[in-house]
Amino acid sequence: MSSAKDKAKGKAKEAMGKMTGDRRKQAEGKTDQAKGQVKGAVHHAGERAKGVKDSLKHD
């Protein structure tokens, strides 16, 4: 699942948990959102590393 999907799923779970008073569902939602943020950060770090590698090739 992509980082955006994890974040969206997490927001939905958290909102549902708040509406129903289900603290466990709220926590699951926050965890899914954090997982999405981590996936996004890892992806961006990889892209930056590729950019550095490419710039060093051209020198």
Side-chain angles (χ1 to χ4, degrees):
M1 190 175 291
S2 73
S3 64
K5 287 182 183 178
D6 282 328
K7 289 179 190 177
K9 181 177 83 170
K11 285 182 186 265
K13 275 187 185 179
E14 184 180 8
M16 184 61 70
K18 284 181 180 179
M19 287 179 8
T20 61
D22 186 345
R23 288 186 173 178
R24 182 173 183 202
K25 190 62 72 179
Q26 287 179 4
E28 286 177 14
K30 288 180 181 184
T31 300
D32 287 344
Q33 289 177 64
K35 183 169 61 170
Q37 289 176 335
V38 169
K39 282 184 181 180
V42 168
H43 175 75
H44 291 299
E47 292 298 314
R48 276 185 248 137
K50 287 179 190 176
V52 169
K53 179 181 171 187
D54 289 344
S55 70
L56 292 173
K57 280 184 184 178
H58 297 287
D59 286 344

